[in-house]
Amino acid sequence: MSYLEATNTLYKEAALTPDVGLCCTTNPIWELPGLKIPRIMQEMNYGCGSTVHARDLTNNPKMLYVGVGGGMELLQFSYFNRQKGGVIGVDVVDEMLEASRKNFKEAEEQNDWFKSEFVELKKGDAMNLPVEDNSIDVAAQNCLFNIFKADDLKKAIAEMYRVLKPHGRLVMSDPTCEQPMNDALRNDDRLRALCLSGSLPIAEYVKALTDAGFGTIEIRARKPYRILDPKNYPTDELIYIESIEVAAIKDPMPADGPCVFTGKAAIYYGDEDYFDDKAGHVLLKNQPLAICDKTAGALQALGRDDIYFSESTFHYDGGGCC
């Protein structure tokens, strides 16, 4: 049995018998006027963090969600696009698709505004999406990409890039790990399916996105997630895993490389009212400006003694230099 078959079996079982907290820390439901999330959807919310923010969902975006779970995030997305087929959900597990269909019927009973036809469910996998090129404004996945091995991850990211419109965004949440994992962990199919042993370092995760062509990366949050300890896992040391929330935007790739926001800021405190580097970055006196890592490097190279640079906070909330 391949690791993908093991994953499908695990989530088939989770569809037939909901398992609260199966693999991940379930993310909180959205508190929006008139939105009610059926309990069964909450019990089948197999994710490791938040994905899409409400600010990603302006102007009735066409949305794609891969790995439907119990349908909770699809319902939440529909709140912002109340049109037939406005949200597409793709999953390779038939039982999960059927469970979502049933859950949408319950959601209709609890939400006067919602209709099941707002969500189009499709059978398919992340490496071969049944979606047209350049047709999606916002795509999302939650705790899915970390399961894939390197070649399959490359295919999955390329597929997301293909279906997004120019300037569209892929918004994700996945476990990450900065410590090396041994082969016993990496090759354990069940631990990979449980969103544990496939975790990559953040730099590798980001590189996979920029290698696919995404010109802007936003790391929006970085949170504690899991511990792999020697008593319960095949490891000689304690391994600490975090989850990150990331947006990859289909912007053109800048000539000098991607803009990767890791939560850095620059603060000018010189004698003038502002500092202009003549490269598109204006720092008002004593006003922090969010900057991408590339801009941070360029400004630091100026060698000025009147600009303070923060370390990466791994929390980015929009705005800034680019």
Side-chain angles (χ1 to χ4, degrees), residues 195-254:
C195 305
L196 294 172
S197 63
S199 306
L200 295 174
I202 292 175
E204 289 185 29
Y205 188 92
V206 169
K207 187 176 186 300
L209 296 168
T210 58
D211 284 351
F214 288 100
T216 301
I217 308 295
E218 302 175 353
I219 297 182
R220 294 177 168 180
R222 180 178 179 178
K223 305 173 183 177
Y225 174 62
R226 287 288 191 273
I227 290 291
L228 303 183
D229 67 276
K231 293 181 180 179
N232 296 290
Y233 298 94
T235 174
D236 294 330
E237 64 174 344
L238 205 67
I239 295 178
Y240 172 56
I241 302 176
E242 299 172 298
S243 69
I244 58 169
E245 298 169 12
V246 178
I249 303 172
K250 194 176 177 179
D251 288 338
M253 182 65 69

Side-chain angles (χ1 to χ4, degrees), residues 105-155:
K105 293 299 182 183
E106 187 167 338
E108 282 185 331
E109 295 177 3
Q110 296 185 28
N111 295 272
D112 293 339
W113 58 270
F114 178 70
K115 297 179 181 179
S116 293
E117 66 179 23
F118 292 167
V119 181
E120 182 180 5
L121 293 174
K122 294 187 176 185
K123 173 77 175 286
D125 66 74
M127 290 169 282
N128 187 24
L129 294 172
V131 180
E132 295 179 359
D133 295 359
N134 304 308
S135 61
I136 300 296
D137 295 296
V138 181
Q141 65 84 16
N142 196 334
C143 215
L144 172 64
F145 280 4
N146 75 98
I147 294 174
F148 295 136
K149 295 184 178 180
D151 288 344
D152 291 337
L153 176 61
K154 183 177 180 180
K155 293 175 184 176

Side-chain angles (χ1 to χ4, degrees), residues 11-311:
Y11 288 96
K12 174 182 176 179
E13 294 170 356
L16 296 173
T17 306
D19 185 355
V20 178
L22 166 69
C23 64
C24 312
T25 303
T26 54
N27 50 306
I29 63 173
W30 290 1
E31 299 291 342
L32 296 168
L35 174 62
K36 297 180 180 178
I37 308 293
R39 178 170 295 277
I40 185 63
M41 284 187 173
Q42 298 179 45
E43 293 174 350
M44 297 178 69
N45 178 24
Y46 307 132
C48 66
S50 298
T51 53
V52 175
H53 293 185
R55 65 173 179 269
D56 296 316
L57 302 177
T58 58
N59 301 318
N60 296 319
K62 180 77 171 182
M63 298 198 63
L64 167 68
Y65 190 66
V66 182
V68 300
M72 187 182 94
E73 296 208 54
L74 292 165
L75 172 62
Q76 292 177 152
F77 299 160
S78 296
Y79 185 90
F80 294 88
N81 187 334
R82 304 181 186 190
Q83 302 175 35
K84 184 176 181 180
V87 179
I88 298 173
V90 174
D91 206 299
V92 71
V93 179
D94 289 318
E95 290 80 4
M96 198 65 80
L97 290 168
E98 183 58 31
S100 291
R101 290 189 181 95
K102 289 177 60 178
N103 294 347
F104 289 144
K105 293 299 182 183
E106 187 167 338
E108 282 185 331
E109 295 177 3
Q110 296 185 28
N111 295 272
D112 293 339
W113 58 270
F114 178 70
K115 297 179 181 179
S116 293
E117 66 179 23
F118 292 167
V119 181
E120 182 180 5
L121 293 174
K122 294 187 176 185
K123 173 77 175 286
D125 66 74
M127 290 169 282
N128 187 24
L129 294 172
V131 180
E132 295 179 359
D133 295 359
N134 304 308
S135 61
I136 300 296
D137 295 296
V138 181
Q141 65 84 16
N142 196 334
C143 215
L144 172 64
F145 280 4
N146 75 98
I147 294 174
F148 295 136
K149 295 184 178 180
D151 288 344
D152 291 337
L153 176 61
K154 183 177 180 180
K155 293 175 184 176
I157 295 174
E159 276 293 273
M160 289 290 207
Y161 188 88
R162 175 184 66 81
V163 303
L164 282 170
K165 297 177 183 177
H167 307 293
R169 61 191 57 203
L170 167 60
V171 194
M172 303 156 286
S173 183
D174 274 304
T176 62
C177 182
E178 300 304 316
Q179 296 170 255
M181 291 195 190
N182 60 44
D183 290 342
L185 288 170
R186 290 294 189 198
N187 296 325
D188 188 310
D189 292 343
R190 182 170 177 82
L191 291 181
R192 186 172 283 273
L194 288 169
C195 305
L196 294 172
S197 63
S199 306
L200 295 174
I202 292 175
E204 289 185 29
Y205 188 92
V206 169
K207 187 176 186 300
L209 296 168
T210 58
D211 284 351
F214 288 100
T216 301
I217 308 295
E218 302 175 353
I219 297 182
R220 294 177 168 180
R222 180 178 179 178
K223 305 173 183 177
Y225 174 62
R226 287 288 191 273
I227 290 291
L228 303 183
D229 67 276
K231 293 181 180 179
N232 296 290
Y233 298 94
T235 174
D236 294 330
E237 64 174 344
L238 205 67
I239 295 178
Y240 172 56
I241 302 176
E242 299 172 298
S243 69
I244 58 169
E245 298 169 12
V246 178
I249 303 172
K250 194 176 177 179
D251 288 338
M253 182 65 69
D256 58 351
C259 292
V260 180
F261 290 86
T262 61
K264 291 184 177 179
I267 303 176
Y268 169 66
Y269 56 93
D271 296 329
E272 306 298 327
D273 291 335
Y274 64 90
F275 169 73
D276 185 348
D277 72 348
K278 308 301 181 184
H281 312 113
V282 177
L283 283 69
L284 300 178
K285 188 172 182 177
N286 272 324
Q287 297 296 314
L289 177 71
I291 52 175
C292 71
D293 291 4
K294 180 176 61 179
T295 297
L299 290 174
Q300 286 173 322
L302 298 176
R304 298 183 65 96
D305 61 1
D306 54 5
I307 302 177
Y308 174 83
F309 298 94
S310 76
E311 298 295 327

